[in-house]
Each structure stands twice: as structure tokens, then as C-alpha cells.
Amino acid sequence: MNALAGRVARSFARGMATYDGAALAQRRIAARLFAAYRRAAPGHRPTRVLEAGHGSGHLTRHLLGLRPARLWLNDLAAPELPGVAADYLPGDVAEVALPGAVELAASASMLQWVEDPARVMARLCGAVAPGGWLAISGFAPGHFPELRALGSRAAAPSYLTGAGMAALLPPGWQGHGAGEWRIVLHFPGALEVLRHLRATGVNGCAGQFRSPGALRDFMARYEARHGGARGVALTYVASWLVARKAA
């Protein structure tokens, strides 16, 4: 495991107990990604399915509805899902042995955390049998604009647009949809935004607060700039791609 993967694993391990309840946007993204895949492949009935970055199971729950004969679940930090019978593949998706000839490879809200997204895309695509599908989402360069507008320097290492993900597809693949989704969450105040980020294992303001005064100043500026009738906003910008491998 490289240094970046180790840091990501430790961060999400700390937030694992609170992640599922706090990951409101990630839950919506998983549902939208699965719906995009079903629209592109309405008659597809995969018997062999691989998910990378299963986390607390937001996308897994949709994949289980396909009733695959075999399901492989990979994650860097998350434990096995209670009650979910699968072949678990713990570890870095860039390094762990993946199954071959799957008919669907899927991943939601994971790609932005990997150091080399081209390598991960190649590995996932290589695991797919001819005629099979890929459904994947990450986060785009415009992610968390409210934090960036206030000078936050924290960011995941591999923000990509949907078109950027499509550009990483190997030869022999055809895109069947790509783009971005904006999901805006509202909170009572800036403190609740920071608590939300911490609960999902993300430190959106890493290294920014050197004193209690700096924290108070940040929260005041956040609420003044991004507050409204519904509270203060935090915008997730997710990128997604659905593609098919030539038969």
C-alpha cells in the first residue's frame, strides 16, 4: 500500500462508524449511477459483478437487486458488510488481485481518492468480459466550491470530469453516458458542515485552522457567504461514466 492509500485508509477508518448516516450525497450518487447503468443497459442481467470501493454498501444494495451468481467487493478500509455474502477483496484496488470475466464492474465515489486513476480504470476495464459494462463515479474539479471559495487547500488527488473518465477508457470501449451531478446539502451552520465532513472521513479544511480564532473566523465567513433561508450550503459535484466493452 502506498503512502496516499495509507492516509486515505486511516481517514476513512476513523469515520467508518459515522460514515453511513452522514454520507447523504454519496447515497444519492450511488442511486443515480445505478439508474444510469440500467437506462443504458435495461436488459442486462450480469451474473458476475465486481464493485470497487464498496464502503458502507450504498451501491452494493442496488447491485444485490441484480441477483448476481457471484459478487466481488473490494475496499481499502471498509469491513465486510453485515448479511452480504460476497467474495471480499480487501486492499488497494490498484494492487489487489481482481477477478476476470465479470459482466459488470462498478464503483461509486471512490475514483477521486486513488493516486493513479488511469491505472485503476485500466484494471477495472481489464476485469470486464467482452460485452460487459462499467459504471463508475468520482468527483469533479468543481467539488466543494464553498470551501474552495474560502481558501480551503484540501482536495482529493484525482478529481475528473465525466469526459475525463471517458478519456481513460482503453480501446474497444464505448461510452453510453457521462457527465456531472450537483448535489447541494444544507446545514444549520458552518459548524455542522465541518462535523459532516469529519463524519464522512473527509477533512475539507485540512491545515487551515491554526487557532480557535481562525476557526471562528472561517465559520463566520462561511455563513455570511453561503448562508440562506435553508441554512448554509455544501455542494457535491459528482462525475460519472457508463460504458460498454465491445463484444
Side-chain angles (χ1 to χ4, degrees):
M1 185 185 299
N2 61 37
L4 172 62
R7 290 195 300 273
V8 172
R10 289 190 293 273
S11 178
F12 280 95
R14 286 193 298 269
M16 193 56 62
T18 55
Y19 178 86
D20 190 56
L24 305 174
Q26 289 86 344
R27 186 179 294 113
R28 296 184 200 176
I29 292 163
R32 290 186 184 185
L33 180 63
F34 185 77
Y37 153 67
R38 296 312 283 159
R39 285 194 300 271
H44 193 228
R45 295 292 182 267
T47 60
R48 294 165 58 85
V49 174
L50 165 66
E51 181 186 357
H54 66 78
S56 60
H58 292 150
L59 181 58
T60 313
R61 296 179 185 106
H62 295 284
L63 299 176
L64 289 171
L66 298 171
R67 300 187 182 279
R70 291 196 70 178
L71 173 64
W72 288 267
L73 297 178
N74 158 261
D75 199 272
L76 185 63
E80 296 184 4
L81 299 174
V84 176
D87 294 286
Y88 287 90
L89 306 172
D92 186 348
V93 67
E95 303 295 339
V96 71
L98 300 177
V102 302
E103 293 154 311
L104 171 64
S107 179
S109 303
M110 180 275 291
L111 190 64
Q112 73 278 359
W113 290 115
V114 305
E115 190 169 37
D116 188 348
R119 172 176 168 79
V120 170
M121 284 282 288
R123 297 199 80 222
L124 293 177
C125 289
V128 177
W133 289 81
L134 172 74
I136 190 166
S137 74
F139 288 105
H143 188 49
F144 289 161
E146 296 88 356
L147 296 175
R148 291 188 296 107
L150 293 175
S152 174
R153 299 178 299 276
S158 297
Y159 289 151
L160 292 168
T161 63
M165 289 193 290
L168 298 180
L169 288 171
W173 282 80
Q174 180 179 5
H176 283 259
E180 288 77 50
W181 296 311
R182 294 177 67 87
I183 297 175
V184 183
L185 303 182
H186 291 90
F187 299 88
L191 181 59
E192 287 76 15
V193 171
L194 297 179
R195 286 173 174 166
H196 166 79
L197 293 171
R198 183 176 180 84
T200 56
V202 176
N203 184 357
C205 303
Q208 182 165 323
F209 308 129
R210 299 184 182 277
S211 68
L215 174 59
R216 289 193 295 270
D217 175 69
F218 174 85
M219 292 193 296
R221 289 188 296 121
Y222 197 111
E223 291 174 1
R225 185 162 183 171
H226 303 301
R230 299 179 62 187
V232 297
L234 178 68
T235 304
Y236 284 74
V237 183
S239 50
W240 64 278
L241 169 69
V242 175
R244 183 174 185 263
K245 191 173 189 175

